């Protein structure tokens, strides 16, 4: 078939001291016992990064892929929230949207805690700047996912230390422009503070990660001039390059690759820090024999037949991204379309995959940079960077394209290059192609669904509105 929540708002439900203490996040530690030295701030940062595991393991990838012509559910009893995404029929009770709101605002809150306290603690300038830069990056990361998903949202850039401060704060939603201004300021400052910071590893923020995210933020707003400048900085740093083997990006051992700019770490071994892609992206068959212990998949995000046909002949990304058949217990193979990226074929336990998820990688930078150049009427330069990505995929380079034709080629390239990485929905919205692409897809496949213009942003979670009616709801929901 194709087709919790921000803690700072939760606290508005009551102003008594007992309610405030009862509703505080479990990770929040009092000033009396924490935030006393650089190690405490490092520990707080690690906690913030760990929250990204849940953000990507299901929620952002579901929203970025299952809502589009890329993927569909083939599980016989999907949840209501999954069906809503698959049919592009969102409701304010959707569990995936609730989780994105919750995790992202927790990330904002954790970053605010760090930024509001760090200047009060004695530590070296270098480590202070590094911690500030990372916290600013994470706050911007949280807000970017919120604003591009929900549109206008509250802006909170302080850490609350009493119920009275919370009750007095303006929790109304602010225009998208104001949110983006804050994100841009955070990322520009993070870029500066993290310059020359080395040795943290790619699961931590860097100057290049901040510049990459900033370029994506500008591109989302169609500010192509600033997008070009930001992304040019990443390209001309010469710190990253495309992996020669595309498949290596998505299999065991993909740690710290030269193409990776910012990655989410996962570990197998029943440690509670694995990912669920091995189940999510593979068929819901009881007779499948592709994992140890004959673990079955769940069929929750599988390639659509159209996605399987979207690749050009000879594209090396196709066999690295999509499987066409699975081995079964009785012997032989059965035809099935399923995803291969991030699927850990060494695990026999659902939710225990050990392959990292690369949230920001260099191929995305090259394609975004080419898009900005094309929009700035620099087609000859743009096509060079598009062709770098195509040539890695074993395809011949393109030439002689005008601005419109190159924009179409870039959209196609992003679809096949970044399949199953959570980009498709946001790319369709950003380029204004959501309604035309999705409604044409539904019509071709005789599906009685239709995307409306208001659905380009998603509903504010119902529980948040119940707690704070002043939030209001996005039009149409």
């Amino acid at each position: 078939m194709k087709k919790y929540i921000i803690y700072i708002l939760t606290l508005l439900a009551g102003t008594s001291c007992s309610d405030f203490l009862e509703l505080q996040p479990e990770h929040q530690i009092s000033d009396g016992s924490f935030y006393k030295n650089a190690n405490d701030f490092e520990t707080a940062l690690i906690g913030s990064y760990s929250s990204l595991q849940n953000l990507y393991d299901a929620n952002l990838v579901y929203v970025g892929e299952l809502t589009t012509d890329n993927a569909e559910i083939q599980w016989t009893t999907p949840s209501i929230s999954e069906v809503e995404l698959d049919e592009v029929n969102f409701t304010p009770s959707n569990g995936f949207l609730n989780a994105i709101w919750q995790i992202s605002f927790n990330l904002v809150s954790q970053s605010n805690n760090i930024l509001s306290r760090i200047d009060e603690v004695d530590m070296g300038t270098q480590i202070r700047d590094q911690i500030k830069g990372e916290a600013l990056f994470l706050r911007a990361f949280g807000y970017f996912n919120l604003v591009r998903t929900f549109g206008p949202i509250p802006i909170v850039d302080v850490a609350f230390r009493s119920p009275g401060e919370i009750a007095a704060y303006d929790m109304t939603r602010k225009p998208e422009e104001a949110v983006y201004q804050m994100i841009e300021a955070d990322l520009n400052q993070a870029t500066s503070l993290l310059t020359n910071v080395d040795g943290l590893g790619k699961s931590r923020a860097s100057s290049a990660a901040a510049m990459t995210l900033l370029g994506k933020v500008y591109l989302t707003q169609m500010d192509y001039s600033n997008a070009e400048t930001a992304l040019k900085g990443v390209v001309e740093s010469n710190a990253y390059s495309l992996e020669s083997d595309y498949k290596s990006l998505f299999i065991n051992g993909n740690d710290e690759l030269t193409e990776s700019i910012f990655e989410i770490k996962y570990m197998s071994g029943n440690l509670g820090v694995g990912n669920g892609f091995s189940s999510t992206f593979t068929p819901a068959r009881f007779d499948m024999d592709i994992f140890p212990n004959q673990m079955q998949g769940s069929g929750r995000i599988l390639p659509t037949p159209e996605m399987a046909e979207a690749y050009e002949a000879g594209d090396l990304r196709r066999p690295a991204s999509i499987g066409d058949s699975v081995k079964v217990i009785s012997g032989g193979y059965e035809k099935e379309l399923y995803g291969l990226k991030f699927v850990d074929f060494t695990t026999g336990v659902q939710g225990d995959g050990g392959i990292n998820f690369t949230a920001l990688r260099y191929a995305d930078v090259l394609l975004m940079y080419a898009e900005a150049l094309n929009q700035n009427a620099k087609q000859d330069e743009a096509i060079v960077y598009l062709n770098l990505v195509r040539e890695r995929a074993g395809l011949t380079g393109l030439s002689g394209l005008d601005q419109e034709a190159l924009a179409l080629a870039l959209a196609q390239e992003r679809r096949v290059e970044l399949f199953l990485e959570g980009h498709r929905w946001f790319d369709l919205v950003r380029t204004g192609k959501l309604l035309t692409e999705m409604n044409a897809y539904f019509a071709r496949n005789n599906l009685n669904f239709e995307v409306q213009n208001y659905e380009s942003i998603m509903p504010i979670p119902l529980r948040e509105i119940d707690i704070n009616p002043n939030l209001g709801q996005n039009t149409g929901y």
Side-chain angles (χ1 to χ4, degrees):
M1 173 183 59
K2 171 64 205 155
K3 149 80 213 140
Y4 126 50
I5 317 315
I6 172 176
Y7 281 108
I8 52 177
L9 292 180
T10 302
L11 298 178
L12 284 173
T15 59
S16 74
C17 186
S18 60
D19 287 343
F20 175 75
L21 294 174
E22 180 181 331
L23 291 169
Q24 284 207 72
E26 292 179 0
H27 65 264
Q28 189 169 325
I29 304 172
S30 70
D31 289 345
S33 61
F34 204 63
Y35 297 117
K36 295 299 183 184
N37 53 51
N39 287 336
D40 288 346
F41 285 93
E42 285 275 348
T43 299
L45 274 175
I46 297 303
S48 297
Y49 284 113
S50 68
S51 67
L52 298 179
Q53 292 178 329
N54 290 331
L55 187 64
Y56 277 95
D57 185 28
N59 303 295
L60 273 183
V61 175
Y62 267 89
V63 168
E65 299 292 336
L66 191 56
T67 53
T68 75
D69 48 358
N70 277 8
E72 62 185 1
I73 302 173
Q74 287 192 0
W75 176 237
T76 55
T77 56
S79 69
I80 293 174
S81 292
E82 287 170 326
V83 172
E84 288 178 1
L85 296 185
D86 195 35
E87 298 180 355
V88 193
N89 184 27
F90 316 124
T91 71
S93 298
N94 188 280
F96 297 102
L97 302 183
N98 288 347
I100 290 173
W101 182 283
Q102 176 187 13
I103 295 168
S104 298
F105 265 116
N106 282 346
L107 194 60
V108 168
S109 177
Q110 292 162 359
S111 299
N112 286 339
N113 284 336
I114 292 170
L115 293 166
S116 71
R117 291 168 170 84
I118 192 166
D119 287 333
E120 302 170 2
V121 177
D122 184 27
M123 67 179 75
T125 301
Q126 185 174 359
I127 187 64
R128 187 191 309 277
D129 287 350
Q130 172 207 310
I131 293 170
K132 278 186 175 181
E134 290 184 83
L136 287 163
F137 171 84
L138 289 169
R139 184 168 72 180
F141 199 91
Y143 268 124
F144 180 55
N145 283 320
L146 286 162
V147 70
R148 66 177 181 160
T149 304
F150 300 106
I153 52 172
I155 295 178
V156 182
D157 59 359
V158 297
F160 300 115
R161 305 197 187 192
S162 74
E165 290 181 6
I166 298 167
Y169 199 84
D170 178 8
M171 292 290 188
T172 57
R173 292 195 288 156
K174 302 301 183 292
E176 293 175 62
E177 295 80 4
V179 181
Y180 278 116
Q181 287 173 5
M182 180 180 179
I183 293 170
E184 292 161 14
D186 280 357
L187 290 173
N188 276 307
Q189 189 177 358
T191 298
S192 176
L193 291 170
L194 293 171
T195 300
N196 300 320
V197 173
D198 298 312
L200 291 179
K202 294 183 177 181
S203 62
R204 303 278 292 269
S206 65
S207 180
M211 281 192 289
T212 298
L213 186 57
L214 183 60
K216 192 179 289 287
V217 167
Y218 284 133
L219 207 62
T220 299
Q221 299 174 86
M222 295 184 287
D223 182 350
Y224 300 115
S225 177
N226 278 319
E228 178 184 335
T229 300
L231 295 165
K232 182 178 182 180
V234 181
V235 172
E236 294 190 347
S237 72
N238 296 315
Y240 304 94
S241 61
L242 297 176
E243 292 292 324
S244 59
D245 181 7
Y246 180 78
K247 184 177 180 179
S248 68
L249 293 164
F250 314 107
I251 61 176
N252 298 83
N254 69 337
D255 300 72
E256 307 288 324
L257 298 178
T258 58
E259 188 167 334
S260 174
I261 298 173
F262 181 61
E263 61 194 48
I264 314 301
K265 300 285 191 184
Y266 293 97
M267 293 180 63
S268 59
N270 290 318
L271 303 173
V273 289
N275 64 55
F277 300 125
S278 299
S279 173
T280 304
F281 293 162
T282 55
R285 294 187 65 124
F286 292 94
D287 62 344
M288 194 167 61
D289 190 20
I290 63 175
F291 296 111
N293 305 321
Q294 295 172 347
M295 182 184 81
Q296 74 174 89
S298 68
R300 284 180 154 80
I301 302 180
L302 298 186
T304 62
E306 285 197 10
M307 185 66 223
E309 298 297 323
Y311 297 81
E312 296 173 52
D315 192 329
L316 299 176
R317 294 170 295 198
R318 171 59 165 80
S321 303
I322 299 177
D324 294 289
S325 62
V326 294
K327 183 181 178 182
V328 293
I329 296 170
S330 60
Y333 291 80
E334 294 286 341
K335 289 185 178 180
E336 293 280 2
L337 287 176
Y338 61 103
L340 294 174
K341 288 184 175 181
F342 311 111
V343 174
D344 188 346
F345 289 100
T346 70
T347 185
V349 179
Q350 291 190 352
D352 196 43
I355 299 175
N356 297 336
F357 187 95
T358 310
L360 298 173
R361 63 182 178 94
Y362 191 55
D364 187 16
V365 169
L366 293 176
L367 293 175
M368 290 192 294
Y369 187 40
E371 184 175 337
L373 288 166
N374 183 47
Q375 293 295 331
N376 291 330
K378 301 176 182 178
Q379 281 72 51
D380 290 344
E381 292 180 60
I383 208 161
V384 171
Y385 296 101
L386 168 62
N387 284 338
L388 288 175
V389 178
R390 288 180 57 81
E391 289 162 8
R392 193 262 297 272
L395 302 175
T396 57
L398 301 176
S399 61
L401 301 182
D402 62 19
Q403 187 178 63
E404 183 178 358
L406 185 50
L408 291 173
L410 283 164
Q412 164 65 12
E413 205 65 31
R414 288 188 64 81
R415 186 182 185 191
V416 294
E417 174 70 28
L418 301 170
F419 172 58
L420 288 183
E421 298 177 54
H423 293 272
R424 179 66 170 168
W425 170 269
F426 298 107
D427 282 348
L428 289 174
V429 172
R430 174 175 59 77
T431 58
K433 300 293 186 181
L434 178 66
L435 271 63
T436 55
E437 291 289 331
M438 287 305 301
N439 288 335
Y441 171 79
F442 290 144
R444 284 193 304 272
N445 290 276
N446 298 314
L447 296 167
N448 190 30
F449 311 131
E450 183 179 15
V451 183
Q452 303 293 329
N453 188 57
Y454 72 86
E455 291 174 307
S456 63
I457 58 173
M458 300 182 185
I460 303 300
L462 179 61
R463 183 180 171 189
E464 295 308 314
I465 296 175
D466 288 342
I467 292 169
N468 179 19
N470 290 329
L471 282 176
Q473 183 56 274
N474 287 325
T475 301
Y477 295 105

